[in-house]
Amino acid sequence: MDKFMFGRYIPGDSWVHRLDPRAKLILTFIYIGVVFFANSVWTYAVLVVLLLASIFATGISLGVFLRGLRPLLWLLMFTVVIQIFFGAGGHIYWQWGWLSVTHDGLINALLILMRFVLIIMVSTLLTFSTQPLEIADGIESLLSPLRKVHFPVATLALMLSLALRFVPTLMDEAEKIMNAQRARGVDFGTGGLRQQVKTIVPILIPLFVNAFNRAVDISTAMEARGYQDGENRTKYRELKWHRQDTLSLIIYVAFSVVVISLRELHL
Amino acid sequence: MEIAFEKVNYWYQAGTPFAVQALYDINLNIPAGEFTAVIGQTGSGKSTLIQHLNALLKPTEGQVVIGDRTITSETKNKHLKPLRKKVGLVFQFPENQLFEETVLKDIAFGPQNFGISVEEATRLAHETAKMVGLDDSLLERSPFDLSGGQMRRAAIAGVLALEPDVLVLDEPTAGLDPRGRNEIMGLVRQLQVERHLTIVLITHQMNDVADYADHVIVMAHGHMVKQGTPRDVFSDVDWLTAHQLELPSATAYANKLMQQGFVFDPIPLTADELADQLVPQINKKGVADNG
């Protein structure tokens, strides 16, 4: 768990760190959307340039981003291998029964790999440079139009920020419980499947019980501090949209236009 | 079983941008059969230190010698199980680790993991439950029905049932009322005396250190800054104040009296020692005043 980088926040004070979380969320969505339009070497080149520029702007080294990919390596390889062997069409290089390596299959595998890597990298960029609570605020603000259709945005935002706040606490607690059970002779990650599933019980039950107790405590503490419902509250952290947010939005839209026109021009 | 640290350095998340060094060049000895207290401010590395005692954490540099085993960063997890049986570790708020349907099953869980038969483990569970003062009527109840103090005892019993040679406790009395505190500390002392256990205790209660410990280790900012007898550690008041550590209340009171002209040699650590030295002085003073 110690070396797990995906989805973590790395404190910093770069251009990207200071962007409005709403802007970063929108940028991430734009980028992910555009990745699916890319279909040629040139379109991908444009996306890679944009990604590298954004990574550079975070002030975090590329190595750290690549390390974030590591836990997903098996998933990537698995999809690529499936694509290579089961993709059909074009020139056939090699065939054995219904397994075949074809020209189109290889191209597709490469496309999928690129898409995966780009999407993972850009979401890592978001989480590396944005604090979880900022992301929650951003999501709340972006969802606020849904209030019109009586969607409980404030409740959702509260749940989201509470959940995010307690992810590290629960992780710590899980680790502590694991260590305590290890000290009582539980072997994690050894033995057969049945044996391993059995070792989860001594972690899961205390974790659930503690989560229940904590939920009771938190709701009591919230009521004691005058919390009534999600609506009609003022905000302590106000989001402010700056010129640099607009600027980065323009840059991303410009790049998207380039990618989509390259696609239309079949380049 | 003696435990020795040799030039131990420890980093959390070594090799990542989040790497934090928690222990710096620790050299220390935990003598067999003695009562060792580890003190220091919050975040000074005490809990990290004691997780090295049963190899839950392995030193990033240096080595820990536990009995006849030497633990380095290279040590594989595979053969550590026998070690974990010898060094029992009671974590902070151990009641959070209870999970079985009944208290008895929970206490018997540890021994069973080390290959002890169900009957034998149940017998051990009964025995340790009695030792920590849990009534037989509680043993068939769910651990989640117990009170906080009872849950704490059940959890401690779960570790004692392993019959360890070394018992390590991380603030076992935190959050207990004075009576519960005395009972737990009495139990720990009893285990040391009757079963010749080596005890390692992390605590913020300086009175407990003065009352029970043979040996004190002082941690500050990941360094071991002092080790010695309680008297060695508590005699230097200025040094303790500089490290933001408290004195046992008897020692603090003796210090105040010394400013009023009373003389103490050696400086008392417990209420009994204080009384022993104070009574003759008061009597003499009384005689002098009357005369």
Side-chain angles (χ1 to χ4, degrees):
Chain A
M1 228 174 286
D2 265 5
K3 299 210 166 135
F4 202 70
M5 301 290 299
F6 186 67
R8 291 181 67 163
Y9 171 67
I10 301 177
D13 189 28
S14 69
W15 208 76
V16 181
H17 280 88
R18 285 192 301 267
L19 283 182
D20 189 292
R22 284 171 296 187
K24 281 188 269 193
L25 279 165
I26 297 172
L27 295 180
T28 309
F29 286 129
I30 290 179
Y31 193 93
I32 293 176
V34 173
V35 164
F36 290 99
F37 281 96
N39 62 348
S40 65
V41 178
W42 285 110
T43 48
Y44 276 111
V46 172
L47 285 172
V48 169
V49 168
L50 179 60
L51 182 71
L52 287 178
S54 311
I55 286 177
F56 179 73
T58 59
I60 301 165
S61 77
L62 189 61
V64 181
F65 278 88
L66 293 176
R67 206 175 308 156
L69 279 178
R70 208 183 285 162
L72 300 158
L73 208 61
W74 288 108
L75 181 71
L76 288 176
M77 289 195 358
F78 181 71
T79 19
V80 166
V81 166
I82 294 275
Q83 281 294 325
I84 288 178
F85 285 113
F86 292 95
H91 182 76
I92 297 169
Y93 297 111
W94 178 84
Q95 194 163 26
W96 185 77
W98 34 268
L99 287 181
S100 63
V101 177
T102 66
H103 181 72
D104 290 6
L106 280 179
I107 297 284
N108 265 333
L110 202 66
L111 284 185
I112 295 244
L113 177 70
M114 277 305 280
R115 280 182 187 164
F116 253 125
V117 171
L118 290 178
I119 290 174
I120 293 168
M121 293 279 262
V122 81
S123 12
T124 312
L125 183 77
L126 174 73
T127 57
F128 273 5
S129 65
T130 322
Q131 292 193 42
L133 280 180
E134 281 186 316
I135 296 183
D137 282 347
I139 291 175
E140 181 185 9
S141 170
L142 290 177
L143 287 182
S144 57
L146 288 180
R147 285 212 177 105
K148 294 236 164 59
V149 293
H150 300 291
F151 184 80
V153 175
T155 312
L156 185 81
L158 176 75
M159 275 161 48
L160 201 61
S161 39
L162 275 177
L164 286 170
R165 155 69 185 77
F166 282 99
V167 166
T169 313
L170 283 173
M171 293 259 278
D172 279 355
E173 202 169 273
E175 201 167 336
K176 234 175 248 165
I177 294 171
M178 261 177 98
N179 275 339
Q181 306 297 22
R182 216 176 258 150
R184 292 210 285 166
V186 179
D187 275 329
F188 294 106
T190 57
L193 187 65
R194 220 180 107 84
Q195 198 60 40
Q196 289 208 35
V197 170
K198 260 174 121 180
T199 63
I200 298 176
V201 176
I203 312 174
L204 224 48
I205 292 178
L207 211 53
F208 270 117
V209 170
N210 292 350
F212 276 119
N213 290 338
R214 179 166 290 131
V216 172
D217 288 349
I218 290 171
S219 54
T220 311
M222 281 172 67
E223 273 180 10
R225 294 172 73 179
Y227 179 86
Q228 285 184 339
D229 64 32
E231 307 299 329
N232 306 324
R233 297 173 63 211
T234 53
K235 289 185 82 66
Y236 176 63
R237 293 183 305 269
E238 299 239 15
L239 298 176
K240 282 207 185 73
W241 189 274
H242 294 283
R243 216 174 332 159
Q244 57 194 25
D245 299 310
T246 317
L247 185 62
S248 23
L249 205 59
I250 291 170
I251 294 172
Y252 266 63
V253 168
F255 269 84
S256 314
V257 169
V258 171
V259 169
I260 293 169
S261 20
L262 281 173
R263 179 194 162 95
E264 295 305 315
L265 294 169
H266 299 290
L267 276 170
Chain B
M1 201 161 66
E2 195 179 274
I3 299 175
F5 281 58
E6 286 161 19
K7 291 190 181 154
V8 170
N9 282 290
Y10 184 76
W11 277 267
Y12 278 104
Q13 313 195 19
T16 73
F18 305 103
V20 185
Q21 188 163 10
L23 294 180
Y24 295 85
D25 202 29
I26 305 284
N27 288 294
L28 59 82
N29 259 314
I30 293 170
E34 290 197 11
F35 195 124
T36 302
V38 183
I39 59 175
Q41 273 181 281
T42 312
S44 58
K46 306 184 295 287
S47 296
T48 309
L49 183 82
I50 64 159
Q51 286 183 55
H52 281 80
L53 297 176
N54 70 351
L56 280 175
L57 299 179
K58 281 170 274 183
T60 319
E61 283 169 17
Q63 57 181 31
V64 181
V65 182
I66 308 169
D68 53 1
R69 295 288 304 269
T70 302
I71 308 292
T72 64
S73 60
E74 308 284 301
T75 307
K76 296 268 178 300
N77 277 330
K78 260 198 166 158
H79 309 291
L80 292 176
K81 226 172 152 176
L83 188 71
R84 304 248 159 92
K85 190 176 181 318
K86 284 188 178 159
V87 184
L89 211 154
V90 179
F91 278 81
Q92 240 172 77
F93 300 106
E95 54 273 27
N96 290 344
Q97 74 198 39
L98 301 170
F99 73 99
E100 281 279 17
E101 295 149 51
T102 68
V103 176
L104 192 71
K105 275 189 187 172
D106 201 283
I107 300 175
F109 173 72
Q112 283 177 53
N113 284 327
F114 291 104
I116 290 171
S117 71
V118 182
E119 296 77 38
E120 176 65 8
T122 311
R123 192 190 61 74
L124 272 171
H126 273 289
E127 197 178 291
T128 39
K130 188 175 275 174
M131 202 151 65
V132 299
L134 278 179
D135 198 73
D136 268 350
S137 63
L138 296 173
L139 296 185
E140 292 303 324
R141 301 254 296 268
S142 157
F144 303 110
D145 287 342
L146 304 187
S147 73
Q150 288 167 335
M151 280 169 86
R152 178 84 50 104
R153 281 155 204 251
I156 293 178
V159 174
L160 285 177
L162 304 175
E163 303 192 293
D165 295 340
V166 182
L167 181 64
V168 186
L169 304 111
D170 191 349
E171 297 194 47
T173 59
L176 291 185
D177 58 22
R179 188 169 152 214
R181 264 204 324 251
N182 285 337
E183 283 172 358
I184 298 277
M185 288 310 300
L187 169 71
V188 172
R189 158 60 72 75
Q190 190 194 341
L191 287 166
Q192 187 212 352
V193 175
E194 287 177 9
R195 306 208 160 196
H196 308 290
L197 288 191
T198 307
I199 307 280
V200 180
L201 172 82
I202 288 189
T203 185
H204 289 287
Q205 306 289 330
M206 297 306 164
N207 289 340
D208 288 345
V209 179
D211 285 342
Y212 300 104
D214 304 308
H215 187 77
V216 184
I217 289 168
V218 188
M219 298 289 298
H221 308 293
H223 297 268
M224 191 197 69
V225 287
K226 213 173 190 128
Q227 96 172 301
T229 63
R231 204 172 298 284
D232 291 341
V233 171
F234 289 128
S235 55
D236 195 346
V237 179
D238 295 335
W239 185 87
L240 286 166
T241 326
H243 284 83
Q244 291 172 315
L245 291 168
E246 280 173 44
L247 284 170
S249 44
T251 316
Y253 194 65
N255 261 308
K256 274 189 191 157
L257 288 174
M258 272 155 84
Q259 287 159 18
Q260 305 292 320
F262 286 85
V263 183
F264 295 99
D265 186 46
I267 186 98
L269 297 180
T270 63
D272 286 343
E273 286 177 23
L274 176 68
D276 287 346
Q277 293 193 42
L278 200 53
V279 169
Q281 294 190 56
I282 290 175
N283 285 341
K284 220 188 319 174
K285 225 176 173 169
V287 172
D289 286 350
N290 287 336

